[in-house]
Amino acid sequence: MVKNLHEKVSFEKVMPQYEKLLMLKKALMLGESEEVNEKILLERSREHNLREIYLVGYLVDVVLKAPKEVREQNDLLISCYDKPKEFAKAQKQSENLFKTNPKFRRYFANIFSYLDLFAPMNRVITNMTIFGLCPEIISTSVPLESKNVILNFHILQKWLSEQRKVDFSLLSDIEKKVVLYLANGYSVEEIVEDDVIEGDYDDKRLQTVLYELLPARCNVQSVCQVMAVMFMSNPELNDIYKAMDMLEDLLENGEF
């Protein structure tokens, strides 16, 4: 029983938030007693995503390139987001398909092997990536599975379906450089503080590009979401060799 609840605080509002926090703690392997809130978990997840941009790109790629049957099953789950009983039924159906259907099994096996999802920490990292990109979709009704994380890919499919494509060629010169450095594994700190981008770009201008201009252009809130949209819109960025060539061409010629 919750005691001393302020009279202006709605019990109906607080309990779902509390239950969501417990669900997130389980999905991210945190103890129930650890003192964190959803905002802290989101900040941690987005900081992690910036250190592991390649994983953002990988998950975007495998979700977009999933077999038609897998995408259709994910669409079924998405259609049940506001119908808890039907969602639970569809989730159970998905779980069974990944065990019995050959196309689902091959898809599952390739991702499971690549991400080494036998390791609990790798499951946590995968869930952190999804949460960092799609926090508004995840809820007690649409939870993050803590063990079979591939069952969470419908969440990323839903989020990607809501994003508009952004043509890389239409970015400004400085925006292209920032995106390419991130795609090539550079950290935000290296881009802002270590002067890896040559030219008349001071720290303040680079921060403006990272935290204001690019998120506004992509209609998102964070840098890791920017990169997810860029990977979705420009698949060549997901190929490290092509991304390296693009960066070299831009640095040498100032354009492609």
Side-chain angles (χ1 to χ4, degrees), residues 216-235:
R217 184 183 286 276
C218 297
N219 196 32
V220 295
Q221 298 176 340
S222 69
V223 180
C224 66
Q225 289 176 316
V226 166
M227 291 306 294
V229 170
M230 296 308 301
F231 286 128
M232 175 192 75
S233 308
N234 309 276

Side-chain angles (χ1 to χ4, degrees), residues 197-212:
I197 296 183
E198 298 179 357
D200 299 326
Y201 307 125
D202 58 24
D203 291 358
K204 186 175 181 180
R205 184 177 180 190
L206 289 171
Q207 288 176 346
T208 299
V209 172
L210 277 160
Y211 299 117
E212 296 179 30

Side-chain angles (χ1 to χ4, degrees), residues 85-246:
K85 289 184 179 180
E86 292 184 27
F87 179 83
K89 182 179 178 181
Q91 189 80 320
K92 195 70 178 176
Q93 185 183 61
S94 296
E95 190 175 356
N96 185 57
L97 285 168
F98 278 117
K99 292 178 181 177
T100 60
N101 184 288
K103 290 186 178 180
F104 280 74
R105 290 180 65 182
R106 282 194 294 272
Y107 180 70
F108 179 94
N110 289 337
I111 296 168
F112 198 93
S113 175
Y114 184 84
L115 295 179
D116 187 17
L117 294 177
F118 276 115
M121 186 49 63
N122 289 340
R123 298 198 292 270
V124 170
I125 288 171
T126 303
N127 275 344
M128 286 182 73
T129 306
I130 294 172
F131 178 53
L133 295 173
C134 320
E136 297 87 357
I137 297 174
I138 297 164
S139 67
T140 52
S141 300
V142 187
L144 278 175
E145 292 292 320
S146 58
K147 292 184 178 179
N148 192 349
V149 298
I150 295 175
L151 290 175
N152 297 325
F153 283 14
H154 63 91
I155 297 170
L156 183 53
Q157 180 171 309
K158 165 69 170 173
W159 185 82
L160 289 170
S161 73
E162 296 172 344
Q163 310 311 308
R164 62 177 177 81
K165 291 189 175 183
V166 177
D167 189 338
F168 181 81
S169 67
L170 299 180
L171 300 183
S172 68
D173 188 66
I174 181 59
E175 288 173 329
K176 288 178 182 177
K177 288 181 180 180
V178 167
V179 168
L180 285 171
Y181 271 107
L182 288 169
N184 277 281
Y186 285 79
S187 69
V188 168
E189 290 76 16
E190 288 172 323
I191 292 172
V192 174
E193 299 171 8
D194 295 348
D195 298 324
V196 297
I197 296 183
E198 298 179 357
D200 299 326
Y201 307 125
D202 58 24
D203 291 358
K204 186 175 181 180
R205 184 177 180 190
L206 289 171
Q207 288 176 346
T208 299
V209 172
L210 277 160
Y211 299 117
E212 296 179 30
L213 297 183
L214 282 170
R217 184 183 286 276
C218 297
N219 196 32
V220 295
Q221 298 176 340
S222 69
V223 180
C224 66
Q225 289 176 316
V226 166
M227 291 306 294
V229 170
M230 296 308 301
F231 286 128
M232 175 192 75
S233 308
N234 309 276
E236 65 273 15
L237 294 174
N238 233 327
D239 184 323
I240 187 62
Y241 298 107
K242 289 183 180 179
M244 289 174 63
D245 289 342
M246 291 168 71

Side-chain angles (χ1 to χ4, degrees), residues 9-26:
V9 177
S10 168
F11 184 82
E12 289 76 14
K13 182 177 181 181
V14 169
M15 285 309 295
Q17 292 174 342
Y18 177 69
E19 291 170 356
K20 181 180 179 181
L21 182 59
L22 291 181
M23 177 270 294
L24 290 172
K25 283 184 173 183
K26 182 179 179 182

